[in-house]
PDB file of all heavy atoms in Angstrom:
ATOM      1  N   GLN B 118      -1.722   7.717 -33.386  1.00 98.00           N
ATOM      2  CA  GLN B 118      -2.252   8.067 -34.704  1.00 98.00           C
ATOM      3  C   GLN B 118      -2.377   9.612 -34.826  1.00 98.00           C
ATOM      4  O   GLN B 118      -2.184  10.159 -35.888  1.00 98.00           O
ATOM      5  CB  GLN B 118      -3.619   7.410 -34.908  1.00 98.00           C
ATOM      6  CG  GLN B 118      -4.062   7.324 -36.331  1.00 98.00           C
ATOM      7  CD  GLN B 118      -3.385   6.136 -37.068  1.00 98.00           C
ATOM      8  OE1 GLN B 118      -2.263   5.789 -36.766  1.00 98.00           O
ATOM      9  NE2 GLN B 118      -4.074   5.539 -38.013  1.00 98.00           N
ATOM     10  N   LYS B 121       1.031  10.999 -35.628  1.00 98.00           N
ATOM     11  CA  LYS B 121       1.355  10.680 -37.022  1.00 98.00           C
ATOM     12  C   LYS B 121       0.553  11.586 -37.949  1.00 98.00           C
ATOM     13  O   LYS B 121       1.080  12.132 -38.940  1.00 98.00           O
ATOM     14  CB  LYS B 121       1.031   9.193 -37.267  1.00 98.00           C
ATOM     15  CG  LYS B 121       1.275   8.734 -38.685  1.00 98.00           C
ATOM     16  CD  LYS B 121       0.922   7.248 -38.810  1.00 98.00           C
ATOM     17  CE  LYS B 121       0.935   6.791 -40.244  1.00 98.00           C
ATOM     18  NZ  LYS B 121       0.532   5.396 -40.395  1.00 98.00           N
ATOM     19  N   PHE B 122      -0.719  11.762 -37.654  1.00 98.00           N
ATOM     20  CA  PHE B 122      -1.583  12.587 -38.465  1.00 98.00           C
ATOM     21  C   PHE B 122      -1.062  14.043 -38.535  1.00 98.00           C
ATOM     22  O   PHE B 122      -1.019  14.631 -39.620  1.00 98.00           O
ATOM     23  CB  PHE B 122      -3.007  12.562 -37.860  1.00 98.00           C
ATOM     24  CG  PHE B 122      -3.990  13.433 -38.597  1.00 98.00           C
ATOM     25  CD1 PHE B 122      -4.607  12.997 -39.747  1.00 98.00           C
ATOM     26  CD2 PHE B 122      -4.312  14.700 -38.098  1.00 98.00           C
ATOM     27  CE1 PHE B 122      -5.535  13.809 -40.418  1.00 98.00           C
ATOM     28  CE2 PHE B 122      -5.212  15.517 -38.775  1.00 98.00           C
ATOM     29  CZ  PHE B 122      -5.842  15.054 -39.932  1.00 98.00           C
ATOM     30  N   ALA B 123      -0.642  14.560 -37.387  1.00 98.00           N
ATOM     31  CA  ALA B 123      -0.145  15.950 -37.377  1.00 98.00           C
ATOM     32  C   ALA B 123       1.061  16.056 -38.291  1.00 98.00           C
ATOM     33  O   ALA B 123       1.173  16.992 -39.074  1.00 98.00           O
ATOM     34  CB  ALA B 123       0.224  16.342 -35.936  1.00 98.00           C
ATOM     35  N   LEU B 125       2.275  13.878 -40.705  1.00 98.00           N
ATOM     36  CA  LEU B 125       2.179  13.444 -42.112  1.00 98.00           C
ATOM     37  C   LEU B 125       1.024  14.092 -42.855  1.00 98.00           C
ATOM     38  O   LEU B 125       1.176  14.512 -44.003  1.00 98.00           O
ATOM     39  CB  LEU B 125       2.052  11.929 -42.225  1.00 98.00           C
ATOM     40  CG  LEU B 125       3.245  11.131 -41.688  1.00 98.00           C
ATOM     41  CD1 LEU B 125       3.054   9.655 -42.102  1.00 98.00           C
ATOM     42  CD2 LEU B 125       4.574  11.657 -42.204  1.00 98.00           C
ATOM     43  N   ALA B 126      -0.157  14.122 -42.262  1.00 98.00           N
ATOM     44  CA  ALA B 126      -1.332  14.652 -42.991  1.00 98.00           C
ATOM     45  C   ALA B 126      -1.376  16.194 -42.939  1.00 98.00           C
ATOM     46  O   ALA B 126      -1.750  16.814 -43.922  1.00 98.00           O
ATOM     47  CB  ALA B 126      -2.614  14.081 -42.399  1.00 98.00           C
ATOM     48  N   LEU B 484      -9.943   6.949 -34.907  1.00 98.00           N
ATOM     49  CA  LEU B 484      -9.140   6.315 -35.947  1.00 98.00           C
ATOM     50  C   LEU B 484      -9.804   6.447 -37.313  1.00 98.00           C
ATOM     51  O   LEU B 484      -9.166   6.684 -38.312  1.00 98.00           O
ATOM     52  CB  LEU B 484      -8.897   4.846 -35.616  1.00 98.00           C
ATOM     53  CG  LEU B 484      -8.026   4.596 -34.349  1.00 98.00           C
ATOM     54  CD1 LEU B 484      -7.852   3.068 -34.140  1.00 98.00           C
ATOM     55  CD2 LEU B 484      -6.681   5.293 -34.403  1.00 98.00           C
ATOM     56  N   LEU B 487      -9.569  10.189 -38.396  1.00 98.00           N
ATOM     57  CA  LEU B 487      -8.235  10.539 -38.863  1.00 98.00           C
ATOM     58  C   LEU B 487      -7.980   9.920 -40.244  1.00 98.00           C
ATOM     59  O   LEU B 487      -7.336  10.568 -41.086  1.00 98.00           O
ATOM     60  CB  LEU B 487      -7.176  10.109 -37.830  1.00 98.00           C
ATOM     61  CG  LEU B 487      -7.240  10.827 -36.510  1.00 98.00           C
ATOM     62  CD1 LEU B 487      -6.233  10.242 -35.503  1.00 98.00           C
ATOM     63  CD2 LEU B 487      -6.983  12.344 -36.664  1.00 98.00           C
ATOM     64  N   ARG B 488      -8.479   8.697 -40.448  1.00 98.00           N
ATOM     65  CA  ARG B 488      -8.285   8.099 -41.781  1.00 98.00           C
ATOM     66  C   ARG B 488      -9.046   8.912 -42.813  1.00 98.00           C
ATOM     67  O   ARG B 488      -8.513   9.203 -43.903  1.00 98.00           O
ATOM     68  CB  ARG B 488      -8.787   6.687 -41.799  1.00 98.00           C
ATOM     69  CG  ARG B 488      -8.470   6.019 -43.128  1.00 98.00           C
ATOM     70  CD  ARG B 488      -9.173   4.708 -43.350  1.00 98.00           C
ATOM     71  NE  ARG B 488     -10.611   4.933 -43.527  1.00 98.00           N
ATOM     72  CZ  ARG B 488     -11.525   3.933 -43.773  1.00 98.00           C
ATOM     73  NH1 ARG B 488     -11.088   2.697 -43.796  1.00 98.00           N
ATOM     74  NH2 ARG B 488     -12.783   4.203 -43.943  1.00 98.00           N
ATOM     75  N   ALA B 491      -7.147  12.129 -43.402  1.00 98.00           N
ATOM     76  CA  ALA B 491      -5.861  11.863 -44.090  1.00 98.00           C
ATOM     77  C   ALA B 491      -6.122  11.626 -45.559  1.00 98.00           C
ATOM     78  O   ALA B 491      -5.376  12.136 -46.422  1.00 98.00           O
ATOM     79  CB  ALA B 491      -5.202  10.649 -43.430  1.00 98.00           C
ATOM     80  N   ALA B 492      -7.208  10.875 -45.867  1.00 98.00           N
ATOM     81  CA  ALA B 492      -7.498  10.610 -47.287  1.00 98.00           C
ATOM     82  C   ALA B 492      -7.821  11.914 -47.996  1.00 98.00           C
ATOM     83  O   ALA B 492      -7.350  12.206 -49.094  1.00 98.00           O
ATOM     84  CB  ALA B 492      -8.662   9.636 -47.409  1.00 98.00           C
ATOM     85  N   ALA B 496      -2.799  12.397 -47.650  1.00 97.00           N
ATOM     86  CA  ALA B 496      -1.625  12.093 -46.826  1.00 97.00           C
ATOM     87  C   ALA B 496      -1.009  10.759 -47.267  1.00 97.00           C
ATOM     88  O   ALA B 496      -1.717   9.851 -47.677  1.00 97.00           O
ATOM     89  CB  ALA B 496      -2.055  11.966 -45.361  1.00 97.00           C
ATOM     90  N   PRO B 497       0.328  10.672 -47.148  1.00 97.00           N
ATOM     91  CA  PRO B 497       0.993   9.401 -47.425  1.00 97.00           C
ATOM     92  C   PRO B 497       0.726   8.418 -46.263  1.00 97.00           C
ATOM     93  O   PRO B 497       0.083   8.773 -45.296  1.00 97.00           O
ATOM     94  CB  PRO B 497       2.458   9.779 -47.508  1.00 97.00           C
ATOM     95  CG  PRO B 497       2.589  10.981 -46.624  1.00 97.00           C
ATOM     96  CD  PRO B 497       1.259  11.741 -46.755  1.00 97.00           C
ATOM     97  N   SER B 498       1.273   7.191 -46.376  1.00 96.00           N
ATOM     98  CA  SER B 498       1.196   6.150 -45.360  1.00 96.00           C
ATOM     99  C   SER B 498      -0.182   5.519 -45.298  1.00 96.00           C
ATOM    100  O   SER B 498      -1.105   5.935 -46.001  1.00 96.00           O
ATOM    101  CB  SER B 498       1.598   6.694 -43.977  1.00 96.00           C
ATOM    102  OG  SER B 498       1.864   5.584 -43.101  1.00 96.00           O
ATOM    103  N   VAL B 499      -0.323   4.487 -44.418  1.00 97.00           N
ATOM    104  CA  VAL B 499      -1.580   3.789 -44.298  1.00 97.00           C
ATOM    105  C   VAL B 499      -2.244   4.231 -42.981  1.00 97.00           C
ATOM    106  O   VAL B 499      -1.578   4.566 -42.051  1.00 97.00           O
ATOM    107  CB  VAL B 499      -1.411   2.270 -44.302  1.00 97.00           C
ATOM    108  CG1 VAL B 499      -0.935   1.799 -45.675  1.00 97.00           C
ATOM    109  CG2 VAL B 499      -0.414   1.835 -43.223  1.00 97.00           C
ATOM    110  N   TRP B 500      -3.555   4.195 -42.958  1.00 98.00           N
ATOM    111  CA  TRP B 500      -4.325   4.722 -41.834  1.00 98.00           C
ATOM    112  C   TRP B 500      -5.397   3.720 -41.452  1.00 98.00           C
ATOM    113  O   TRP B 500      -6.522   3.796 -41.886  1.00 98.00           O
ATOM    114  CB  TRP B 500      -4.958   6.086 -42.189  1.00 98.00           C
ATOM    115  CG  TRP B 500      -3.900   7.062 -42.573  1.00 98.00           C
ATOM    116  CD1 TRP B 500      -3.354   7.248 -43.830  1.00 98.00           C
ATOM    117  CD2 TRP B 500      -3.209   7.968 -41.713  1.00 98.00           C
ATOM    118  NE1 TRP B 500      -2.389   8.227 -43.792  1.00 98.00           N
ATOM    119  CE2 TRP B 500      -2.293   8.709 -42.498  1.00 98.00           C
ATOM    120  CE3 TRP B 500      -3.284   8.255 -40.339  1.00 98.00           C
ATOM    121  CZ2 TRP B 500      -1.441   9.670 -41.977  1.00 98.00           C
ATOM    122  CZ3 TRP B 500      -2.443   9.237 -39.806  1.00 98.00           C
ATOM    123  CH2 TRP B 500      -1.514   9.917 -40.637  1.00 98.00           C
ATOM    124  N   SER B 501      -5.010   2.762 -40.636  1.00 98.00           N
ATOM    125  CA  SER B 501      -5.919   1.710 -40.253  1.00 98.00           C
ATOM    126  C   SER B 501      -6.934   2.255 -39.284  1.00 98.00           C
ATOM    127  O   SER B 501      -6.684   3.204 -38.502  1.00 98.00           O
ATOM    128  CB  SER B 501      -5.201   0.539 -39.611  1.00 98.00           C
ATOM    129  OG  SER B 501      -6.124  -0.411 -39.124  1.00 98.00           O
ATOM    130  N   THR B 502      -8.140   1.695 -39.278  1.00 98.00           N
ATOM    131  CA  THR B 502      -9.161   2.069 -38.297  1.00 98.00           C
ATOM    132  C   THR B 502      -9.288   0.983 -37.236  1.00 98.00           C
ATOM    133  O   THR B 502     -10.142   1.098 -36.354  1.00 98.00           O
ATOM    134  CB  THR B 502     -10.534   2.260 -38.983  1.00 98.00           C
ATOM    135  OG1 THR B 502     -10.903   1.027 -39.587  1.00 98.00           O
ATOM    136  CG2 THR B 502     -10.439   3.336 -40.022  1.00 98.00           C
TER     137      THR B 502
END
Side-chain angles (χ1 to χ4, degrees):
Chain B
Q118 200 79 329
K121 179 180 170 182
F122 178 82
L125 296 190
L484 295 181
L487 293 175
R488 186 193 69 179
S498 196
V499 292
W500 301 86
S501 174
T502 61

